């Protein structure tokens, strides 16, 4: 038996190529519009410059990937469910696979496929339900998190579980390396396992989520909101959070001067006695470090064309 699959994701995520090269028929790709998406001239120009930069780096967009492989493509903006429903119906889709969305799917969409709509969530549900489990896994120094493949229902990450698996994370592991394991290895494995099971048996296992304990929502946090308790958190916990989330989280004073608008690269830490108040960024010659109650976390200013573009248009 063969099954027709539609993938909903954002950008050229880690699940795209494995699904494309699997034994199923990838008959459509839906790119979910990012949360900040709009049609303003500033946004369009920013995206245009970013696309030029990524093209020079040899990075394809999801739209380019779809076109190159002759896969129908749909850019899914807010309040376009009617158009998406019509498009999906024309593809005779058997199952929709979701990874990474900025909004909840409505029944008008997730009830279309014969075998339902399944979602890959980067936590061991019911732990860390919500939009940003990555951040809270780092904030809690959870070194044994997991990944869950589940059915989508009307709630947020509340559907029946198909498969789930935990993995080990080392202290200070940066998010791209962690996601290579969590999604590129474990998550992709769960998706392919499910698709193969549908091909062979025409059904998937279902297990209700354990509702005996209520877990807090892994809500989206503002990039500059500081949740660190400088008086109680260990240097290891602060370092782990800042190093792991350094690509998007900036609760400490950011680079100045010629590096204004850029980000810190979080290096190593050293336990030592400090004279300054915890939470301060100190420069000593060419060396930068962040003070904690137990010592120093060393920093290095980095340059990114993407961050430069964001800074220019943020302050125009």
């Amino acid at each position: 038996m063969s099954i027709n699959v539609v993938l909903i994701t954002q950008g050229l995520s880690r699940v795209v190529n494995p699904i494309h090269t699997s034994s199923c028929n990838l008959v459509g790709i839906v790119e979910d519009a990012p949360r900040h998406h709009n049609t303003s001239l500033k946004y369009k120009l920013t995206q245009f410059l970013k696309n030029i930069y990524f093209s020079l780096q040899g990075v394809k967009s999801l739209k380019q990937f779809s076109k190159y492989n002759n896969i129908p493509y749909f850019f899914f903006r807010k309040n376009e469910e009617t158009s998406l429903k019509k498009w999906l119906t024309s593809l005779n889709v058997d199952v929709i696979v979701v990874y990474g969305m900025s909004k909840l799917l409505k029944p008008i969409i997730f009830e279309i496929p014969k075998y339902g709509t399944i979602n890959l969530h980067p936590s061991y549900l019911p732990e860390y339900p919500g939009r940003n489990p990555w951040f809270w896994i780092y904030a809690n120094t959870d070194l044994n998190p997991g990944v869950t493949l589940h059915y989508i229902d009307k709630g947020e990450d509340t559907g029946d579980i198909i498969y789930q698996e935990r993995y080990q994370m080392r202290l200070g592991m940066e998010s791209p390396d962690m996601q290579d394991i969590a999604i590129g290895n474990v998550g992709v494995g769960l998706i392919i396992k499910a698709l193969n099971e549908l091909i062979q048996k025409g059904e998937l296992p279902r297990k209700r989520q354990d509702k005996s304990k209520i877990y807090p929502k892994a809500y989206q946090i503002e990039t500059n909101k500081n949740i660190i308790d400088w008086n109680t958190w260990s240097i290891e916990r602060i370092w782990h959070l800042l190093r792991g989330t350094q690509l998007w989280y900036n609760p400490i004073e950011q680079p100045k001067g010629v590096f204004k608008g850029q980000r810190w690269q979080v290096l190593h830490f050293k336990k030592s006695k400090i004279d300054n108040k915890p939470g301060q960024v100190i420069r000593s010659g060419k060396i930068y470090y962040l003070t904690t109650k137990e010592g120093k976390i060393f920093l290095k200013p980095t340059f990114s064309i993407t961050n430069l573009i964001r800074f220019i248009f943020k302050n125009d």
Side-chain angles (χ1 to χ4, degrees):
M1 184 181 85
S2 179
I3 58 171
N4 293 337
V5 177
V6 167
L7 171 64
I8 302 180
T9 192
Q10 287 187 331
L12 202 57
S13 65
R14 288 167 174 80
V15 306
V16 177
N17 198 57
I19 293 177
H20 176 241
T21 56
S22 72
S23 54
C24 69
N25 299 321
L26 184 58
V27 297
I29 291 178
V30 178
E31 181 160 21
D32 182 50
R35 192 173 296 108
H36 59 273
H37 175 77
N38 61 61
T39 57
S40 68
L41 179 59
K42 179 193 292 188
Y43 178 85
K44 289 181 178 179
L45 185 54
T46 301
Q47 293 301 114
F48 175 73
L49 293 174
K50 285 173 65 176
N51 289 338
I52 291 177
Y53 171 72
F54 289 137
S55 296
L56 293 175
Q57 301 299 310
V59 178
K60 288 189 179 73
S61 67
L62 187 57
K63 185 176 182 179
Q64 289 172 329
F65 177 91
S66 303
K67 183 177 180 180
Y68 180 80
N69 291 287
N70 297 312
I71 302 171
Y73 171 89
F74 189 99
F75 190 73
F76 181 34
R77 299 174 181 85
K78 187 177 180 181
N79 299 322
E80 288 189 339
E81 282 80 9
T82 301
S83 298
L84 179 58
K85 178 184 178 181
K86 182 178 180 180
W87 184 82
L88 288 170
T89 303
S90 70
L91 298 176
N92 193 29
V93 56
D94 293 311
V95 62
I96 295 175
V97 177
V98 179
Y99 170 63
M101 284 196 69
S102 63
K103 49 188 173 289
L104 295 180
L105 277 182
K106 297 179 180 179
I108 190 178
I109 301 300
F110 70 70
E111 292 178 351
I112 291 175
K114 176 181 178 181
Y115 299 115
T117 298
I118 61 179
N119 176 58
L120 184 67
H121 183 75
S123 81
Y124 200 87
L125 291 173
E127 301 169 8
Y128 305 106
R131 292 180 174 179
N132 198 358
W134 298 127
F135 177 83
W136 295 104
I137 286 170
Y138 273 108
N140 295 331
T141 321
D142 185 348
L143 301 182
N144 188 30
V147 180
T148 301
L149 187 68
H150 68 97
Y151 282 98
I152 285 183
D153 61 13
K154 293 180 180 180
E156 184 176 23
D157 304 319
T158 56
D160 291 349
I161 293 170
I162 302 169
Y163 305 120
Q164 57 186 170
E165 185 178 331
R166 291 193 183 275
Y167 61 93
Q168 293 296 318
M169 179 178 169
R170 69 177 184 274
L171 192 71
M173 179 179 280
E174 296 179 55
S175 60
D177 296 332
M178 180 266 285
Q179 292 180 35
D180 282 343
I181 297 172
I183 303 304
N185 184 6
V186 178
V188 164
L190 298 184
I191 291 174
I192 301 303
K193 181 180 178 180
L195 294 178
N196 288 338
E197 186 133 339
L198 279 177
I199 291 172
Q200 294 168 12
K201 300 180 179 180
E203 61 180 358
L204 292 172
R206 301 182 76 123
K207 181 180 72 173
R208 288 185 177 276
Q209 292 193 35
D210 183 4
K211 303 295 178 61
S212 62
K213 182 179 178 181
I214 304 299
Y215 290 87
K217 286 283 186 180
Y219 62 87
Q220 192 74 26
I221 191 168
E222 295 178 11
T223 58
N224 60 352
K225 182 178 180 179
N226 182 25
I227 67 161
I228 299 171
D229 188 334
W230 300 100
N231 295 317
T232 63
W233 282 28
S234 67
I235 191 172
E236 290 90 350
R237 183 177 182 183
I238 297 171
W239 176 73
H240 178 70
L241 171 62
L242 295 181
R243 184 170 169 84
T245 63
Q246 62 186 307
L247 295 178
W248 74 85
Y249 186 50
N250 52 349
I252 61 175
E253 183 182 9
Q254 293 302 292
K256 298 179 179 180
V258 295
F259 289 101
K260 190 172 184 180
Q262 298 299 314
R263 306 186 68 87
W264 293 115
Q265 179 183 358
V266 181
L267 305 176
H268 57 284
F269 68 86
K270 181 179 180 181
K271 291 189 174 182
S272 61
K273 182 180 179 180
I274 61 166
D275 298 322
N276 301 89
K277 181 180 178 182
Q280 293 184 318
V281 175
I282 305 295
R283 178 176 181 178
S284 178
K286 294 183 179 180
I287 297 175
Y288 298 86
Y289 61 87
L290 171 68
T291 58
T292 75
K293 70 185 183 70
E294 295 178 315
K296 304 173 181 177
I297 297 175
F298 293 91
L299 308 169
K300 178 183 177 182
T302 59
F303 179 80
S304 161
I305 188 67
T306 302
N307 290 333
L308 177 61
I309 292 171
R310 288 173 179 164
F311 177 73
I312 290 173
F313 286 103
K314 183 179 179 181
N315 296 276
D316 67 352

